[in-house]
Amino acid sequence: MTQKEFLNIVMPFKDKVFRLAKRLLISTEEAEDATQEILLKLWSNKEKIEEYKNVEAFSMTMTKNFCFDKLKSKQSQNLKIVHSNYEDNSTSLQKQVELNDSVNWVSRIIEELPEQQKMVIQLRDIEEYDFDEIAQMLDMNNTAVRVTLSRARKTIREKLTNTHSYGIK
Amino acid sequence: MVLNNIEELLEKYENGETSLKEEQELKNYFSQETVAPHLEIYKPMFAYFLVNQQEQFTKDVPLIPIAIETKKVFNYKWISVAAVAVLMLGVYLKSTINNDLGTIQDPELAFNEVSKSLEMISKNFNKGTSTISYLEEYDKGASTLGYLNEIEKGTSIIFKKNQ
């Protein structure tokens, strides 16, 4: 397989890999590194790629596992602040107003969700995969995906309602 | 009527029962400028999803380095092969050099060489034996030790008596 053929296979979903990695690892730099790592892994196994039925789903599963490993090693090293684009709450009021506030809230709310829910939201609402694909990627069954998704969506809505009506953080 | 439809869809959406097409409909609705006031809270959520869809991976992936890396591994393999080849060559060369003992063909010359080397051996041998004469001194010393036997005889008698 030449480099060009490989790129043709990988290009369509490399952004998706990146976004999933970013969803889990939060920091853009970490996500970039993870994506790079995953693409390189695929490249070094390029002979086997043709055997896989669904390279995209396979890569997403790989991304998930890779990010989990990353998070685990971070935890064992006792580094609690994983993200470098960590936001300080005491930034100037001016800046806070400037940020597109409510959209930012959504990102913060999703950040607080359990990992499983984060991934399902990412894969369904942002990447728009169908349930079967998500189930395959996350190694869950179809119903479990639906339940997780429904829980995540409800949590997001509830928290949004709270911040919207009372301004609670 | 449209609003009713959207509300219905939202409920289905929260239960995770919407199809991708229906979700697209919701996204379209919430990307409008004006949304029904009581549905306003959903707007940022769908806006966030749309914004996130645009995010791209821009970093270059260096695919070539891996090719170099595999080449490196390849080289290591051949280095060991080369080492074995050099080793065997060395052994071969050494054995061929050892076979040449420097034999002299002319008998007279050979005789001279042999007598010369034998002479050297005997000279050194004599030198060695001359130093052995010191051993005589040692013998003298040892002979005086003979008196000790006398003492031993005396003590053996004493021990017998004690017994």
Side-chain angles (χ1 to χ4, degrees):
Chain A
M1 184 184 288
T2 65
Q3 203 169 325
K4 210 173 169 191
E5 284 171 317
F6 176 75
L7 287 179
N8 281 340
I9 294 175
V10 161
M11 273 304 136
F13 63 82
K14 70 161 172 53
D15 292 332
K16 294 180 179 179
V17 166
F18 171 65
R19 289 191 291 248
L20 179 63
K22 196 182 167 193
R23 175 70 54 221
L24 289 169
L25 298 174
I26 295 154
S27 133
T28 311
E29 286 79 17
E30 293 245 7
E32 275 173 354
D33 288 349
T35 314
Q36 201 170 35
E37 199 94 353
I38 282 151
L39 292 182
L40 287 180
K41 268 186 192 169
L42 282 174
W43 171 245
S44 57
N45 283 325
K46 56 185 183 299
E47 280 79 26
K48 283 190 217 149
I49 275 188
E50 277 141 12
E51 294 167 25
Y52 300 140
K53 273 185 242 148
N54 189 344
V55 184
E56 188 169 335
F58 176 78
S59 312
M60 293 309 254
T61 314
M62 238 169 94
T63 312
K64 181 199 81 176
N65 292 336
F66 183 83
C67 291
F68 277 0
D69 284 351
K70 207 101 206 243
L71 287 173
K72 235 185 235 167
S73 69
K74 275 275 150 53
Q75 255 166 16
S76 60
Q77 282 167 19
N78 221 1
L79 286 175
K80 284 296 173 204
I81 301 170
V82 179
H83 31 118
S84 54
N85 52 352
Y86 168 75
E87 264 174 48
D88 192 353
N89 283 333
S90 62
T91 43
S92 66
L93 192 68
Q94 182 77 41
K95 209 178 166 194
Q96 275 188 1
V97 174
E98 269 171 16
L99 292 169
N100 190 349
D101 227 19
S102 35
V103 174
N104 243 23
W105 280 126
V106 181
S107 102
R108 211 171 290 185
I109 289 165
I110 294 178
E111 232 168 79
E112 283 166 11
L113 291 175
E115 250 114 43
Q116 205 78 5
Q117 295 185 14
K118 260 191 225 175
M119 286 190 298
V120 175
I121 281 280
Q122 175 75 21
L123 294 175
R124 178 66 180 190
D125 279 333
I126 296 174
E127 309 301 356
E128 297 175 349
Y129 285 113
D130 63 42
F131 286 119
D132 291 328
E133 279 177 305
I134 297 173
Q136 194 195 343
M137 284 169 194
L138 301 184
D139 198 19
M140 293 161 80
N141 66 41
N142 216 310
T143 351
V145 173
R146 272 171 209 270
V147 170
T148 319
L149 183 65
S150 152
R151 260 183 219 149
R153 282 170 174 173
K154 276 178 183 157
T155 319
I156 295 173
R157 200 253 301 138
E158 264 164 38
K159 288 198 175 170
L160 266 182
T161 321
N162 283 346
T163 50
H164 198 76
S165 41
Y166 313 116
I168 301 170
K169 279 188 182 178
Chain B
M1 156 98 216
V2 178
L3 198 60
N4 263 343
N5 188 19
I6 291 295
E7 275 172 3
E8 233 171 74
L9 278 183
L10 271 177
E11 201 179 321
K12 268 175 88 183
Y13 173 81
E14 280 193 3
N15 290 325
E17 286 161 353
T18 38
S19 68
L20 283 173
K21 214 174 175 186
E22 287 166 328
E23 278 168 27
Q24 199 53 54
E25 233 171 273
L26 281 173
K27 279 175 190 166
N28 287 340
Y29 175 77
F30 283 102
S31 59
Q32 292 170 6
E33 276 293 308
T34 46
V35 176
H38 65 287
L39 297 178
E40 193 75 29
I41 49 160
Y42 288 101
K43 216 179 161 183
M45 185 163 94
F46 289 103
Y48 176 79
F49 292 153
L50 285 176
V51 167
N52 267 263
Q53 271 174 357
Q54 311 304 323
E55 198 168 11
Q56 284 186 342
F57 178 65
T58 47
K59 217 173 163 188
D60 273 344
V61 181
L63 291 179
I64 302 128
I66 276 209
I68 288 168
E69 213 168 275
T70 49
K71 236 184 197 172
K72 251 185 204 166
V73 173
F74 189 69
N75 278 347
Y76 282 129
K77 215 195 272 169
W78 285 106
I79 282 172
S80 62
V81 172
V84 168
V86 166
L87 203 75
M88 282 170 74
L89 195 75
V91 169
Y92 173 74
L93 282 179
K94 212 184 170 196
S95 60
T96 49
I97 284 168
N98 277 354
N99 281 342
D100 183 22
L101 294 173
T103 320
I104 295 161
Q105 299 300 329
D106 188 12
E108 204 175 320
L109 229 138
F111 174 73
N112 283 344
E113 282 294 312
V114 168
S115 54
K116 213 195 273 172
S117 53
L118 283 178
E119 204 177 320
M120 199 174 75
I121 288 169
S122 63
K123 220 189 258 169
N124 284 326
F125 190 76
N126 285 339
K127 227 189 257 172
T129 47
S130 67
T131 56
I132 284 175
S133 61
Y134 292 118
L135 279 177
E136 277 166 30
E137 299 293 319
Y138 176 77
D139 271 346
K140 260 183 220 165
S143 64
T144 56
L145 281 180
Y147 293 118
L148 280 178
N149 286 341
E150 300 294 320
I151 294 170
E152 214 169 301
K153 261 181 215 163
T155 49
S156 66
I157 292 163
I158 292 166
F159 277 121
K160 248 180 207 165
K161 273 186 182 167
N162 279 353
Q163 274 173 354

